[in-house]
Amino acid sequence: MSPAPTGSSAERPSIGRRTVLGAAAAAASAPALLGLSTPASAAPAPAGPRALPGGGDLGPNVIVFDPSTPGIQAKLDEVFRQQESAQFGTGRYALLFKPGTYNGLNAQLGFYTSIAGLGLSPDDTTINGDVTVDAGWFNGNATQNFWRSAENLALVPVNGTNRWAVAQAAPFRRMHVRGGLNLSPNGYGWASGGYIADSRIDGQVGPYSQQQWYTRDSAIGSWLNGVWNMVFSGVEGAPAQSFPNPPYTTLNTTPVSREKPFLYLSGSEYRVFLPEKRTNARGVTWGNGTPRGTSLPLSQFYVAKPGVSAATLNQALAQGLHLLLTPGIYHVDQPIQVNRAGTVVLGLGYATLIPDNGVTALKVADVDGVRLAGLLIDAGPVNSATLLEVGPRGATTDHSANPTTVQDVFVRIGGAGAGKATTSMVINSRHTIVDHTWIWRADHGTGVGWDTNRADYGIVVNGDDVLATGLFVEHFNKYDVQWYGQRGRTIFFQNEKAYDAPNQAAVQNGSVKGYAAYKVGDAVTTHEGWGLGSYCYYNVNPAIVQHHGFSAPNTPGVKFHDLLVVSLGGQGQYERVINETGAPTSGTSTVPSTVVSYP
């Protein structure tokens, strides 16, 4: 997502596409080696590193408050001043609130800032005040309010409604808003989000100018409106199915879900809670008191600080420790290798992995129950074949009882500097749940150009029975999504084709004009998707034609519900929505072309 600048080129990162949208308003036991060292009388060990300790402090960029902490508002304001417009900066922060009640706060969140309560339930930590995201830094345009999050808090907004005007990669999880929630910026400027899960909003949710949104396993008082694509699964109070007018796609339940792991306090001890898997889920997990699941003490985690080597992280994993990555940037010169079932890799404050020398940042073996959460993977300047791999190629193990989850794991190629990756995310393990990801080839920032931040493919799904809930993939040079596994399902998809294609030949896919945003492999016999949208904005060459947004085998077992394609102001056009079905986009009018059911 990238808006048009409203000032000199020095003031804004790039020309983008919002000029046309004004009217579109399982728990492991304690590691055996933990804390042991060689006795003084023992002979020198011939090899092997000393065992790494678990636990420890959370580092300088995790700021912990309790209700008696002096100067809370001043500290919140200080972090916000630093992070408000630091879109591609290096600062990373987690703001954590111990259980209790806090009065008169307004926590404004900038880039790479996470705010969270430390109770088992959001109602354990109440802020009589607001957690605010607005767009003053960008002249009222919220389409670049990326990379920030709110979790596990109860809010009593000062004026009755909390403002959360975000774009991609800004999850709102496990929140209780005792009032309404406004998803647009002050002045109702452009906005392009977003994601809510496991949350209760007692009042009305007003998206206003938000183009698209996905809400999962939550409860809301009411929902005000929709622009292009509003998707709900397992949401009490959701509007009825009515796509395309209004553009609501509503599923009564979510087929499979398992909420994100989170840090909490048990007395004075930090622990990580691991919510249990739910099938046919509806509503919040915490509504009846203590949530269901298990927990791990922090002593079973290697608490990593920026500057640690990949070799040390892998040593910790080999010892049987989980990983807690405190806020900051981690360069890895070899893949972080998760080989043990049930391993948790949890990032705080948008902990960021950068692969050096073209390695893959993180690889997961074909094992049960791995949980990856709260990470940003930023491609390095040397091309990586892949950035994240879940399972090896050819993985076939059944993980239905205890799937791997990939939650709030975001990928970026370019923007903070030149980066390259052939394929960003590869899912090979069966039954994997990809729950909220934004896989982004940058369209603005530094190191951006058709070949400068070359990235041909966004996500490739080879594993069977994979479920994606909240899939955002944008701007890849070729296919954004390729799905080759059987029985795959996607609930909500948001895409933009690459803005910067120089000409038709650059995106020509054999005899087909352009690469589909979402391609289901020819051999797939069963697949289903709900609420999927693709947009084009070919601002370098507006004459480019994209034949369709979606490509899939024309077979009864491959089904789509509520598809749309949009040409943003006539900067490029779609001829069809899916395969040869659906009307072409209509000139310069930014109006979706829709298909309610396919085939």
Side-chain angles (χ1 to χ4, degrees), residues 92 135 155 173 181 189 202 327 330 333 382 461 497 503 542 568 572:
R92 303 286 188 273
L155 305 178
R173 287 185 182 269
L181 189 64
D202 293 347
Y330 298 76
D333 58 2
V382 177
V461 180
K497 295 305 299 172
N503 49 50
L568 306 178

Side-chain angles (χ1 to χ4, degrees), residues 14-30:
S14 73
I15 292 178
R17 53 76 159 191
R18 289 301 187 270
T19 52
V20 299
L21 297 184
S29 60

Side-chain angles (χ1 to χ4, degrees), residues 104-131:
L105 298 182
N106 181 17
Q108 301 182 80
L109 297 189
F111 287 97
Y112 314 109
T113 306
S114 298
I115 189 169
L118 287 170
L120 260 183
S121 164
D123 288 327
D124 293 340
T125 311
T126 297
I127 293 177
N128 288 307
D130 295 81
V131 171

Side-chain angles (χ1 to χ4, degrees), residues 256-277:
V256 188
S257 61
R258 189 175 69 195
E259 299 304 330
K260 180 173 174 263
F262 61 93
L263 192 68
Y264 75 103
L265 276 171
S266 175
S268 61
E269 178 195 19
Y270 283 108
R271 299 182 69 89
V272 173
F273 193 82
L274 307 178
E276 71 174 15
K277 186 188 73 163

Side-chain angles (χ1 to χ4, degrees), residues 34-99:
L34 190 57
L36 298 184
S37 57
T38 305
S41 59
R50 185 171 179 169
L52 295 166
D57 73 89
L58 299 177
N61 294 330
V62 175
I63 302 168
V64 181
F65 304 103
D66 67 45
S68 65
T69 303
I72 296 176
Q73 186 65 54
K75 187 62 179 180
L76 296 174
D77 292 345
E78 177 191 339
V79 173
F80 179 64
R81 279 193 299 272
Q82 180 180 320
Q83 298 302 114
E84 179 182 12
S85 57
Q87 181 170 182
F88 297 112
T90 57
R92 303 286 188 273
Y93 290 93
L95 309 173
L96 304 183
F97 287 75
K98 293 182 180 181

